[in-house]
Amino acid sequence: MEQHLYKPLPFKHISEVTEEALEYIDMRRKHEIEPLRTRWKKFNRLCNGGIEQGCIYTIVGASGSGKSSFANMLETDLISLNPNKNVIVLSFSFEMLSSRQVGRKISSSMRKTTAELYSSEFDLRDEEFKKYEPLWFLAENVGGLKSANDGKAFQKIQEEAQQIAKFPIYYVDSAATVDQIKDTIQYFQDTLAKDKWLVVMLDHTLLVRGRSDESALNIIRDLQNCFINAKKVGCTSIIQLSQMNRNIESPDRINNPTCHYPMRSDISSADAIFQGSDVVLVIARPETLGFAVYGPHRLPVQNKIYLHILKNREGQLAILDFENDLAHNNIIEIERGMELNPT
């Protein structure tokens, strides 16, 4: 009789997995495991406390929507607002130079536009370069940025930059293939981020390189498989940025408020992105499309940014309301109620 040699995949009995689930619940109850908090209370509440380990978060938006600024704020918050966590950020900054990312951080902390910092119209004066006022700090309640001015706090720009330079953030500027991204993540998991919380950020998915004969969709699919495997190793979280297609700009949708809100089909390579992501967020700036009011809820548009949660494995779908302060590389959460389960 012919003997068949089996090579089964690793498997677990449900009793073992149940013990793992109970252990996780108990550790969350005792705060031995906590998500990484952000400055936005409602975002934290809807996403089980913030950014969780073992999850993929996708941030989508049209060009100029503020998605890169949103990710830049997250990058800073996950370190600044979680001092008791040993976090390392690996940022694949394919769209922007990493030095410009740091410029945005300085802009946010100093309440100066990047145009002012870069002397676009008027040269930055020596005294401005040496000091600024007021001193900005993060509120204890993690509700956002607050200012305090005791008349004594003056900080040099160089000192601000030196503080930022201490953050455990590592940038990859050059575009890369999926295999190169995978190897870099594995290197960090095995070395610099071993026994630490690794947050991988990628801006953005459509800039990942492939072979000349490889379709963009196949590249995205391979990238999602790479991230799904990476999130299961150690303590790892993935935050990826992606792009909207042009469907939302069609006259039929602009003229019909019931079609204003972004949908799954508006996301480039939507099926692959949705399948791989635990949370999908779409950033919208309706005033850039000339809306007088936004959507069937007739939301205001002037200086507004809306964050649509289109997928949330462990929570609710919602629309979060923000004030646009992108000039200072910040968006400010509005205290009024959110729109839950939007249609």
Side-chain angles (χ1 to χ4, degrees):
M1 178 181 293
E2 183 179 355
Q3 185 177 6
H4 187 82
L5 297 178
Y6 294 101
K7 295 182 179 179
L9 294 170
F11 56 86
K12 299 177 181 178
H13 187 264
I14 190 172
S15 60
E16 183 179 354
V17 180
T18 301
E19 286 298 322
E20 292 174 358
L22 288 173
E23 181 181 8
Y24 180 75
I25 293 170
D26 190 39
M27 293 179 76
R28 285 294 298 262
R29 179 179 67 89
K30 296 175 179 176
H31 298 280
E32 294 174 5
I33 293 179
E34 293 180 321
L36 299 174
R37 296 180 296 175
T38 76
R39 70 185 72 185
W40 304 297
K41 293 179 184 177
K42 287 185 285 190
F43 174 89
N44 293 341
R45 187 163 67 250
L46 285 172
C47 294
N48 282 335
I51 301 299
E52 292 193 278
Q53 64 187 49
C55 289
I56 298 174
Y57 299 81
T58 300
I59 303 167
V60 187
S63 296
S65 61
K67 62 182 182 295
S68 293
S69 292
F70 186 86
N72 189 288
M73 293 173 229
L74 273 178
E75 193 177 83
T76 305
D77 288 356
L78 299 185
I79 296 168
S80 297
L81 301 182
N82 300 277
N84 60 326
K85 307 289 195 307
N86 203 346
V87 179
I88 284 186
V89 175
L90 168 60
S91 181
F92 294 93
S93 185
F94 295 160
E95 186 167 45
M96 290 181 60
L97 287 172
S98 51
S99 59
R100 295 301 178 91
Q101 298 278 25
V102 172
R104 287 186 170 188
K105 296 183 192 302
I106 297 173
S107 163
S108 178
S109 64
M110 294 185 60
R111 298 293 297 167
K112 282 187 174 292
T113 68
T114 51
E116 290 173 318
L117 288 181
Y118 300 153
S119 302
S120 298
E121 186 174 1
F122 302 103
D123 289 345
L124 198 67
R125 299 190 304 273
D126 287 345
E127 56 268 28
E128 290 179 301
F129 187 67
K130 292 177 181 177
K131 62 187 180 182
Y132 70 89
E133 184 179 19
L135 175 65
W136 284 74
F137 64 91
L138 290 166
E140 290 183 357
N141 63 4
V142 200
L145 292 174
K146 293 185 178 179
S147 63
N149 183 5
D150 59 6
K152 301 177 181 178
F154 294 95
Q155 295 287 332
K156 296 179 181 177
I157 290 181
Q158 295 97 324
E159 290 178 356
E160 179 68 19
Q162 288 169 2
Q163 291 301 313
I164 292 173
K166 296 176 182 177
F167 284 15
I169 301 174
Y170 298 82
Y171 289 105
V172 176
D173 278 335
S174 54
T177 65
V178 173
D179 285 341
Q180 290 171 321
I181 292 169
K182 179 177 67 175
D183 287 346
T184 306
I185 293 173
Q186 289 178 345
Y187 171 79
F188 269 74
Q189 288 173 331
D190 292 340
T191 57
L192 296 173
K194 188 175 183 180
D195 300 324
K196 299 178 182 179
W197 193 323
L198 176 64
V199 178
V200 178
M201 308 190 74
L202 184 140
D203 184 7
H204 59 74
T205 59
L206 297 183
L207 296 178
V208 177
R209 292 169 49 193
R211 301 185 307 271
S212 58
D213 61 341
E214 192 173 12
S215 70
L217 180 56
N218 284 338
I219 296 172
I220 296 294
R221 285 173 176 164
D222 289 345
L223 179 66
Q224 300 314 297
N225 288 331
C226 166
F227 284 163
I228 289 169
N229 291 328
K231 76 175 186 177
K232 298 176 181 178
V233 177
C235 185
T236 303
S237 304
I238 310 288
I239 301 172
Q240 61 177 346
L241 274 60
S242 196
Q243 196 77 13
M244 300 280 284
N245 57 40
R246 303 296 292 274
N247 294 344
I248 202 166
E249 299 178 13
S250 68
D252 288 343
R253 292 188 63 175
I254 289 176
N255 295 327
N256 184 354
T258 63
C259 298
H260 284 177
Y261 295 163
M263 301 178 290
R264 171 175 175 162
S265 59
D266 294 319
I267 302 172
S268 296
S269 307
D271 288 341
I273 292 290
F274 257 75
Q275 182 180 4
S277 302
D278 297 283
V279 178
V280 177
L281 315 168
V282 178
I283 295 180
R285 291 179 61 192
E287 67 180 333
T288 64
L289 295 176
F291 295 144
V293 294
Y294 185 44
H297 298 102
R298 300 185 65 82
L299 301 173
V301 300
Q302 187 174 6
N303 294 322
K304 292 291 185 179
I305 294 176
Y306 293 99
L307 188 67
H308 296 257
I309 303 180
L310 297 191
K311 180 179 180 180
N312 192 0
R313 287 195 198 275
E314 304 292 342
Q316 292 177 291
L317 307 183
I319 304 174
L320 305 185
D321 188 352
F322 298 90
E323 288 287 349
N324 179 357
D325 190 27
L326 291 176
H328 300 109
N329 291 284
N330 186 26
I331 64 174
I332 303 167
E333 189 174 55
I334 302 302
E335 290 300 325
R336 73 175 181 83
M338 62 190 118
E339 301 289 348
L340 289 175
N341 296 317
T343 57

